[in-house]
């Protein structure tokens, strides 16, 4: 079962991004190091813990400093932008129309059904399914299964293929591409203290 992302998560991400953007913009506009502009009552950083302004000025004189700083800032910006945009895709999604007139299917409902069917296969400890609509007529099913200790993959593979075939039949007229990932659960016994 997927847990929806909360408004608090979105707000915290947006507020953090705006604060970092404002701090970076302030540093760029003023052109001086923030440590030099701090109030006298602000606690200082002991020498050797962070870069002092003189050492930072020497680093800026190096040829590799500017490209490295720009590349790191661009990479971080791209990662946080992708994370921010992913927050808006957290809804249940549009219902998928099926072959029968008026029949629709939610991708989340299909994923829950596949998860239950895969977990019911003998030799499977637990399973997780995810259904992603890729285009108007194509679905991608990612089925991850954890095998019980002592179970060989050959023992459960035919039953899991049958579960995937059921998903393909129930999602008609969509073309379903299934990725199956098998993992083994730990054989270790838990320690008691």
């Amino acid at each position: 079962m997927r847990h929806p992302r909360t408004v608090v998560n979105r707000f915290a991400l947006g507020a953090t991004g705006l604060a970092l953007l404002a701090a970076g913009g302030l540093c760029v506009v003023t052109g001086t190091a923030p440590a030099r502009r701090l109030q006298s009552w602000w606690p200082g950083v002991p020498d050797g813990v962070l870069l002092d302004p003189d050492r930072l000025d020497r680093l800026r004189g190096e040829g590799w400093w500017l490209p490295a700083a720009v590349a790191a800032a661009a990479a971080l910006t791209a990662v946080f932008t992708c994370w921010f945009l992913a927050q808006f895709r957290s809804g249940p999604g549009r219902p998928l129309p099926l072959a029968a007139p008026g029949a629709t299917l939610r991708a989340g409902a299909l994923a829950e059904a596949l998860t239950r069917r895969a977990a019911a296969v003998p030799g499977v400890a637990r399973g997780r399914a995810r259904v992603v609509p890729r285009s108007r007529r194509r679905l991608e099913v990612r089925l991850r299964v954890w095998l019980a200790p002592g179970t060989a993959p050959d023992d459960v593979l035919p039953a899991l293929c049958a579960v995937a075939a059921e998903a393909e039949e129930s999602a008609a007229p969509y073309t379903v591409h299934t990725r199956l990932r098998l993992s083994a659960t730990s054989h270790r016994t838990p320690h008691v203290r």
Side-chain angles (χ1 to χ4, degrees):
M1 183 169 156
R2 285 172 40 187
H3 298 286
R5 294 180 176 94
T6 63
V7 175
V8 175
N9 186 12
R10 292 177 185 171
F11 177 76
L13 179 63
T16 303
L18 286 176
L20 289 173
L21 183 66
L26 182 66
C27 289
V28 167
V29 169
T30 58
T32 59
R36 294 180 183 151
R37 288 182 279 122
L38 292 176
Q39 300 293 328
S40 60
W41 52 267
W42 189 266
V45 178
D47 289 339
V49 175
L50 294 175
L51 293 175
D52 61 346
D54 295 331
R55 185 167 181 189
L56 191 57
D57 288 338
R58 282 193 306 270
L59 278 176
R60 286 183 182 151
E62 297 289 331
W64 58 268
W65 173 258
L66 184 60
V70 169
L76 284 174
T77 301
V79 167
F80 283 124
T81 301
C82 290
W83 183 27
F84 177 72
L85 293 175
Q87 301 299 311
F88 295 107
R89 291 191 302 244
S90 64
R94 61 177 170 79
L96 307 170
L98 296 178
T104 59
L105 174 68
R106 284 185 316 110
L110 181 59
E112 289 177 23
L114 286 172
T115 299
R116 288 190 188 121
R117 294 279 293 139
V121 171
V124 172
R126 63 187 169 109
R128 181 177 66 208
R130 184 170 180 217
V131 177
V132 180
R134 286 296 177 195
S135 65
R136 290 188 177 267
R137 294 289 167 209
R138 197 181 110 182
L139 295 177
E140 182 176 316
V141 174
R142 297 177 189 157
L143 184 60
R144 177 143 188 217
V145 174
W146 286 268
L147 300 177
T151 303
D154 292 339
D155 298 340
V156 297
L157 199 54
L160 291 174
C161 288
V163 169
E166 280 182 28
E168 290 177 12
E169 290 175 13
S170 61
Y174 288 91
T175 303
V176 178
H177 296 277
T178 305
R179 290 186 192 179
L180 177 62
R181 183 175 172 189
L182 298 175
S183 299
T185 56
S186 176
H187 294 274
R188 298 184 322 185
T189 57
H191 297 286
V192 178
R193 291 184 180 195

